[in-house]
Amino acid sequence: MTKIKIGLLGLGNVGSGVAQILQENAANIFKRTGKQIELKSVLVRDLNKKRNSNLTNVHTTTDAHSILTDPEIQIIVEVLGGEHPTYEYICQALQNKKFVVTANKEVMAKHHAELTQLAHQNGVDIYYEASVGGGIPIIQTLKVGYAANQLKAIYGILNGTTNYILTKIEEDHLEFNQALQEAQKLGFAEADPTMDISGLDTAYKLTILAGIAFKANLTLADISYEGIQSISLKDILYADEFGYKIKLLAMGQRTKNNEFCLSVQPFMLPKSHPLAAVRNEFNAIYVVGDAIQDAMLYGKGAGSLPTGSAVVSDIMDIAFNYPHNSRRNLETDFPNVKVLPADLQQNKFYLRLLVNDEFGVLEKIAGIFGKNKVSILKVIQKDIIAKQAELVILTHLVQQKDMQQAIIELKKLNCVQEVCAIIKVGLE
Ligand code: HSE
């Protein structure tokens, strides 16, 4: 009977989920792969820390090198997170001809081309299902399930922390900071939530997904991203009134000229769109293909067992084929593609302004929009606050650079006190 031995780098939230699934589901894993999979060694930071994981017959060590060079280990599972030293560990593992399974979105977003190439050169493979969407098998779906399609677009709610915060603002009428604190108290947000709320976490994930969906060699620099820090309860309530939900949305679109628009930002989605119904910490990915047309995958994007499930299914995929490497998962030849700079991308916009409540103001604002080719769909005077009028404006499709120029000019008007919010709108 073929035995496959695993070296696990990291025994935190995801690592302990991996250990638990490997132990509790061992009989099924054996039945499905025909291989006995054994957790041989685990890299930990502190050998004396008390843990819930059952580590009977598992060697724990603080020495990564001893695992990466162990000739008995065929698969290295990396669940440490962060770029360094994990990137170096993964390179060493591949150079030592070990298969790699990683949950590391940062490393995969930054080094995808080079790591798949290195795996190829060494006759092994690197799997990273757990790097995006936790318990949602989106990478396998894009690579295998939708292989027959030319994909036109991929939209995703890829960050549970921000989706939870936006849901709380909307449903409990909290301001951003209150919702963030609540998310931290309940363990949905990290003590330092910067990577989540700035949109960077989602941008890493979009780099990975759009690369696979469009078979394109993409880097983080191809994605323009912004976070949810400036989203206020007021805009969420106004969005609701107009028939929209605000979500932190990852967007990848193929244009008619085979160019690509890639962005991450707070976005107003019509309530009727399936992504608008994704609440709390859940993730979802909506894909448009020439054959499948529209499809959506939904589930938990993080957590010990959902992410552990993605890691273990990658291990099983490798084990099933082992010792052969059929390379169905290895795509090393993504070409460079033309990504449209954010400036040239087109969107509809929602704007909220505070202006002086006096005659002639609307005319000045409309003049600036007209001059910059920004066509207005609706203007609504929502409120009077301390003698200032609150205006909400919805535009037709406009090039981002024209909108930016209009905003620069609006801010120079004496009658405009503040541009409070600018949010993209669409997917009607
Ligand atoms: N911090 C991420 C989230 C989970 O909130 O979705 C791991 O990618």
Side-chain angles (χ1 to χ4, degrees):
M1 183 208 319
T2 311
K3 259 195 179 182
I4 296 195
K5 297 197 183 190
I6 309 286
L8 178 62
L9 309 181
L11 195 60
N13 192 33
V14 179
S16 53
V18 171
Q20 184 181 335
I21 296 168
L22 283 175
Q23 278 152 3
E24 288 180 2
N25 296 359
N28 273 334
I29 291 171
F30 176 64
K31 215 154 75 189
R32 287 172 195 159
T33 60
K35 315 278 164 35
Q36 200 176 24
I37 296 173
E38 181 190 315
L39 182 56
K40 182 181 178 193
S41 307
V42 180
L43 177 73
V44 293
R45 251 192 227 116
D46 175 4
L47 287 172
N48 298 318
K49 186 173 167 185
K50 252 183 90 67
R51 300 169 197 281
N52 293 327
S53 299
N54 173 4
L55 296 175
T56 321
N57 298 327
V58 178
H59 172 64
T60 50
T61 175
T62 53
D63 174 18
H65 188 71
S66 70
I67 299 183
L68 294 167
T69 56
D70 183 339
E72 282 193 357
I73 288 176
Q74 294 101 328
I75 303 177
I76 296 291
V77 174
E78 183 279 307
V79 287
L80 293 164
E83 188 180 4
H84 301 289
T86 43
Y87 163 74
E88 288 76 13
Y89 290 167
I90 291 172
C91 289
Q92 283 170 41
L94 295 171
Q95 279 153 355
N96 292 341
K97 304 197 185 313
K98 298 185 189 309
F99 285 81
V100 169
V101 174
T102 177
N104 199 312
K105 63 209 152 201
E106 184 172 356
V107 167
M108 289 317 293
K110 292 183 178 170
H111 305 284
H112 177 274
E114 162 201 354
L115 290 175
T116 49
Q117 189 64 42
L118 187 60
H120 183 76
Q121 284 160 6
N122 286 284
V124 286
D125 203 343
I126 177 164
Y127 284 62
Y128 45 96
E129 184 63 68
S131 64
V132 184
I136 308 171
I138 182 62
I139 291 179
Q140 185 76 351
T141 302
L142 292 174
K143 282 189 171 173
V144 182
Y146 295 159
N149 287 258
Q150 187 189 63
L151 297 182
K152 297 178 189 170
I154 181 160
Y155 304 107
I157 295 173
L158 304 177
N159 183 271
T161 305
T162 46
N163 204 45
Y164 182 85
I165 291 172
L166 291 172
T167 307
K168 284 293 134 192
I169 297 177
E170 180 195 341
E171 295 183 2
D172 297 349
H173 288 196
L174 302 179
E175 281 301 348
F176 173 80
N177 280 328
Q178 293 170 295
L180 170 60
Q181 276 165 22
E182 192 180 316
Q184 285 172 319
K185 219 164 36 193
L186 294 173
F188 288 120
E190 308 270 350
D192 177 2
T194 316
M195 192 149 117
D196 295 309
I197 64 175
S198 67
L200 177 59
D201 175 85
T202 304
Y204 283 143
K205 292 169 178 169
L206 180 63
T207 309
I208 296 170
L209 289 191
I212 301 167
F214 302 132
K215 312 288 175 244
N217 182 24
L218 301 175
T219 68
L220 186 64
D222 293 315
I223 318 272
S224 64
Y225 70 92
E226 54 185 286
I228 63 161
Q229 307 89 319
S230 57
I231 295 297
S232 72
L233 172 59
K234 186 165 243 175
D235 294 311
I236 289 192
L237 296 178
Y238 287 172
D240 185 65
E241 224 179 288
F242 298 136
Y244 296 102
K245 297 261 182 208
I246 299 180
K247 296 288 179 191
L248 182 66
L249 194 68
M251 302 176 76
Q253 294 160 314
R254 186 194 295 270
T255 69
K256 287 193 194 93
N257 305 328
N258 229 14
E259 297 169 338
F260 295 90
C261 299
L262 303 163
S263 64
V264 171
Q265 64 279 295
F267 195 88
M268 284 195 185
L269 279 166
K271 285 184 198 169
S272 57
H273 195 285
L275 283 169
V278 178
R279 296 170 60 249
N280 292 329
E281 77 277 23
F282 280 87
N283 284 199
I285 300 109
Y286 191 94
V287 183
V288 185
D290 54 358
I292 52 160
Q293 300 179 5
D294 292 34
M296 187 166 104
L297 285 86
Y298 169 89
K300 291 217 159 132
S304 179
L305 291 175
T307 311
S309 159
V311 170
V312 175
S313 62
D314 276 351
I315 293 173
M316 289 170 69
D317 211 348
I318 296 167
F320 185 78
N321 283 317
Y322 195 84
H324 306 291
N325 168 22
S326 64
R327 299 235 177 88
R328 75 188 172 90
N329 195 38
L330 191 59
E331 302 184 56
T332 54
D333 52 354
F334 289 163
N336 291 330
V337 295
K338 182 148 188 238
V339 176
L340 271 188
D343 273 8
L344 300 182
Q345 296 180 19
Q346 287 201 325
N347 272 287
K348 296 178 188 170
F349 286 88
Y350 157 102
L351 266 100
R352 183 163 59 85
L353 313 175
L354 272 185
V355 301
N356 292 350
D357 190 17
E358 61 196 26
F359 66 84
V361 170
L362 278 183
E363 192 188 343
K364 285 182 193 148
I365 293 173
I368 287 178
F369 279 170
K371 185 175 142 220
N372 288 292
K373 296 179 277 199
V374 177
S375 168
I376 296 173
L377 171 71
K378 269 186 201 166
V379 182
I380 302 154
Q381 182 157 323
K382 291 296 299 179
D383 211 351
I384 305 282
I385 304 164
K387 294 200 179 139
Q388 289 174 355
E390 187 180 51
L391 287 186
V392 169
I393 300 173
L394 293 169
T395 76
H396 288 291
L397 267 186
V398 29
Q399 232 174 35
Q400 214 152 294
K401 72 172 170 31
D402 293 332
M403 191 72 228
Q404 279 156 2
Q405 183 55 34
I407 300 289
I408 290 171
E409 292 179 28
L410 279 184
K411 284 183 173 166
K412 287 185 186 151
L413 287 180
N414 286 336
C415 59
V416 173
Q417 300 303 324
E418 194 183 344
V419 178
C420 310
I422 311 164
I423 302 172
K424 290 180 191 166
V425 183
L427 297 197
E428 274 98 345

